[in-house]
Amino acid sequence: MTRLPILKMVLAVIVLGVVQSVILLQFNWFGDEASTAAKPIDTLLDVTIVLSSFIFAIVCVALGYALIKWRAKPGDESDGLPIHGNTRLEIIWTIIPVIIVLGLAGYSWAVLDDIEKTDADALHINAYAQQFAWTFGYPEDGNKWSEGELHVPVDRQVIFDLQAQDVIHSFWVPEWRIKKDAVPGLETDVVVTPDKEGTYSLICAELCGLGHTTMRATVVVESEAKYKAWLKKQTTEVPEDILKTTDQYDADQLKKEEKSGGIEGSGVIEQ
Amino acid sequence: MAVAIRQPGWYRGAIGLVLGAAFGFCLVVGLRLLSGLDAFQTEQTGYPQVVVPLITAPFGFLFGFGAFDYWFRWAAGKPTIPEDHSGHGATKWQDYFKFNTDHKVIGTQYVVTTLFFFLVGGLLALLMRAELAQPGTQIVAANTFNGLFSTHAVVMIFLFIIPVFAGLANYVLPLMIGAPDMAFPRLNALSFWLLPIAGLIFLGSFLAPGGSFDAGWTGYAPLSTGAPLGQSFFNIGVQFAGASSIATALNFLVTIITMRAPGMNLWRMPLLVWANLSTSLLVVGATPFVAGAQFMVFFDRILGMNFFNFLEGGDVISYQHIFWFYSHPAVYIMMLPGFGIISEIISTHARKPVFGYRLMALALIGIVVLSYSVWAHHMFVAGMFSWLRVPIMITTMLIAVPTGIKVFSWLGTLFYGKIHTYSTAMLFALAFIITFTVGGISGVMLGMIPIDIHVSDTYFVVAHIHFVLFGGSVFTIFAGIYHWFPKMTGRMYDERLGRIHFWGTLVGTWMTFIPMHWIGMDGMPRRVADYASQYGDWNLLISVSAFVLGAVQLIFLYNMIVSWRFGPKAGPNPWRANSIEWQVSSPPPVFNFDEIPRVVGGPYEYGTPGARHAIMGGEGEGAEVPETKPSTVTVPS
């Protein structure tokens, strides 16, 4: 039995892994970054890409070497060596992957904690999803409303309280790297700190029916002053859709709340 | 004619179908009239006059077709008809269209039927790709499009991948363990015939008012509870496909546990048997959950039960928990039998024992155990309780470990072997290792919550699922079909056409599904009929590649059909394999063995002179045959 050229194979894995990593890291996979969550997530992706490149390289080199070295010649009817296994090797390729995935899981957990930290002075905005449109309520700045267009100030943490009026929708701004479903009858929220001014798209990511494809809203991230100025121009009138669907939730509750000062600030309507 | 009507068969089946439908229809209309209601109800979630016959008609057909004759006679205490085995085996093509109890006939029925549905599902996919080739709406409108991807997924999952594995194992597994048939041949036949019924129900939903079910194959409530009639077809079809799957799994479990040939202890079972044992454990434990989830949606729709109606105290997110408690194990139901196939093929065509056989078997069991604990990774952004996310992330990522063991062990099997790559089966097996590794890596990435938050519900998920299901499962299915084609038909397929099919499929798969990773990460959501124009070029490439991939499958079909009819005779053991199914003629005799073989060693003793897996009946009768022990040779490091 010939000895394996372990050193050469390791070198091949390193070369292939490095080449793959270098090529793959050239691309900006997740697109533009426009929130504080984007950096740590993209770094996590880069780390994963490098690790994956090496794992893929190991598989390719092993398969390629085996095919070059031990491909049977036509007419060769002999058998390979009767090797049934190698306990030490099997333990190694069980333990090392365990360490790698646990390490990646720990790293992911740290990133998750990092991006979901909430500030005490975070701005709360209500996002109402319905087939097939988004409506936004700004309870903290004079009970303002906007439809199909969301404005947020830059560099301030925003917590979106998500409410679905009919079926499940999902709140996704790719540049912010955050996504959360709006679930009927359930209170969900999503935290983001936009750190780059600009105009983005809010995309519904959960299949919600015929108009799912077109269920989008414009997101404008702007300076605090511009945001305030824009907000001043918005209506305080509760949009009809919100009233109508809220009515379906619980007419009595609505009446009570209207008497006590409107439904806007109440978040999810209690059942 | 009168005799034909009384005999079980197609005439009686057709009558049963009509009577069953009429019974359900009259029941609904009668009860409604008695209750003072209108005879018909046509709310889109209602239509009891359609959905009840949809349940009763298939049973009518099965009664008529003869699926229950023996059991009923037995249950009624009547004298049973002595077994004449007329429902066993096939001598002419008509025998494949009967309620046949021979596991080999059933295996063939399964594979042919599921390949038909593979074509149907593929055509649905190509329609979708035609629409997606350019931004904007050209071919189908959004409502049809939603129906297309929903039926595509359901047909591929419930009528192709899951049952084709059951079919291949049906044919091969009893032979492999030295059994004359499956443990419950009549149940086995019933399992098969439930399948085309499920398929017709799924496809029949296109005729329903409002079109086919269009809430995705996941059918999330409350989108599904309020959807048009087609959704009820999905709810009911899943019951038939699920029942088929569960019955087959029970059959495999009993067969594997009780019917192994003497001498075949657990550690002498071929890995395909181990794989089907593991799969069956998953099916029996998990499939009732999808049946339950669909019944709950069905009851919400038809009976107003409010399981998922948030206005009446229903809990929307519980649907997802119940659904994924099946549907995540389901991806292993769609993968583990493929692992078994790959182990058989790589060992045979590399002329070497499977490296680390016991760890390979244990890895399968490890996947079974772990896969019950990972369902909620489909729900990281679904709004479920947030504490569940991290534990589920860890179990999800740990599944990569047993899966990695399998990949490394296959590679280890190749080392120091004699790798024969002339067989298309082996080409698919080798390509599977690479392609599946890519799918596994993207799977680990999806398991990491921060990454998943961004890419869930995007084309990245579409890319991942197709890499593991097409590059994974379907590659193993092709490998398995090519490998056992000579056994099942007694004839050899054309290797040249096989190689063209292989290279076309390999390139087509990568060209179609790799770009999906990119556009998904960049922000293209899945399940959309239209997309931002910046993804136009990539989508055009994907669509063209998908059409190439589809066209290449026609070569496969041509090869299979023509070779089945005209291929050169294969002989009993063209691959010089050790396992028992290759020690009998091709195709095997009706009852597989004249005499049950004796198992004297492991299944993969290639390279050990004189080592045997099994002693067949009629040879070495009474002679002393030494038990072979696996010898372990250590790799020099």
Side-chain angles (χ1 to χ4, degrees), chain B residues 38 113 258 336 398 419 508 536:
Chain B
D38 293 337
T113 310
T258 65
L336 297 188
L398 279 176
I419 306 168

Side-chain angles (χ1 to χ4, degrees), chain B residues 609-632:
Chain B
R612 299 283 299 272
H613 174 45
I615 308 294
M616 304 306 289
E619 59 162 325
E621 188 55 42
E624 266 311 299
V625 181
E627 293 262 313
T628 18
K629 288 207 173 60
S631 49
T632 301

Side-chain angles (χ1 to χ4, degrees), chain A residues 28 89 97 110 161 169 178 209 217 227 265 268:
Chain A
N28 180 14
L89 199 57
D161 296 304
H169 302 274
I178 50 101
Y227 164 73
V268 155

Side-chain angles (χ1 to χ4, degrees), chain A residues 8-179:
Chain A
K8 277 186 198 159
M9 290 170 77
V10 170
L11 271 175
V13 167
I14 291 174
V15 169
L16 191 59
V18 168
V19 169
Q20 277 178 35
S21 306
V22 166
I23 293 173
L24 290 174
L25 289 179
Q26 298 308 308
F27 300 95
N28 180 14
W29 294 108
F30 283 176
D32 295 339
E33 298 175 340
S35 85
T36 53
K39 262 265 143 29
I41 292 179
D42 291 8
T43 311
L44 176 65
L45 177 72
D46 288 346
V47 171
T48 315
I49 284 177
V50 171
L51 274 173
S52 305
S53 296
F54 281 92
I55 289 165
F56 189 64
I58 291 172
V59 174
C60 287
V61 168
L63 184 62
Y65 183 78
L67 280 178
I68 292 166
K69 177 89 182 168
W70 291 294
R71 198 159 157 186
K73 291 176 186 64
D76 183 356
E77 299 223 328
S78 62
D79 285 346
L81 287 178
I83 303 166
H84 285 83
N86 179 321
T87 310
R88 198 172 49 169
L89 199 57
E90 288 165 35
I91 291 174
I92 290 173
W93 70 41
T94 308
I95 298 294
I96 292 183
V98 169
I99 296 170
I100 293 176
V101 296
L102 286 183
L104 272 181
Y107 182 16
S108 303
W109 192 357
V111 171
L112 182 70
D113 263 3
D114 186 31
I115 61 177
E116 291 194 336
K117 242 180 234 132
T118 51
D119 298 343
D121 67 335
L123 173 67
H124 278 263
I125 295 179
N126 296 328
Y128 297 85
Q130 60 175 313
Q131 293 172 325
F132 302 95
W134 296 94
T135 307
F136 306 96
Y138 305 81
E140 293 186 4
D141 295 290
N143 285 332
K144 298 286 193 175
W145 291 88
S146 70
E147 288 181 87
E149 191 170 329
L150 167 70
H151 283 237
V152 290
V154 72
D155 291 330
R156 181 170 168 200
Q157 191 177 69
V158 186
I159 298 177
F160 292 97
D161 296 304
L162 306 176
Q163 296 172 41
Q165 316 275 345
D166 35 43
V167 299
I168 302 173
H169 302 274
S170 196
F171 182 101
W172 182 37
V173 180
E175 289 82 358
W176 288 350
R177 307 284 188 274
I178 50 101
K179 185 184 289 135

Side-chain angles (χ1 to χ4, degrees), chain A residues 2-3 72 80 84 116 179 181, chain B residues 381 389 416 454 456 631 637:
Chain A
T2 47
R3 289 179 72 86
H84 285 83
E116 291 194 336
K179 185 184 289 135
D181 285 4
Chain B
V381 299
R389 293 177 304 169
Y416 299 102
H454 179 65
S456 69
S631 49
S637 49

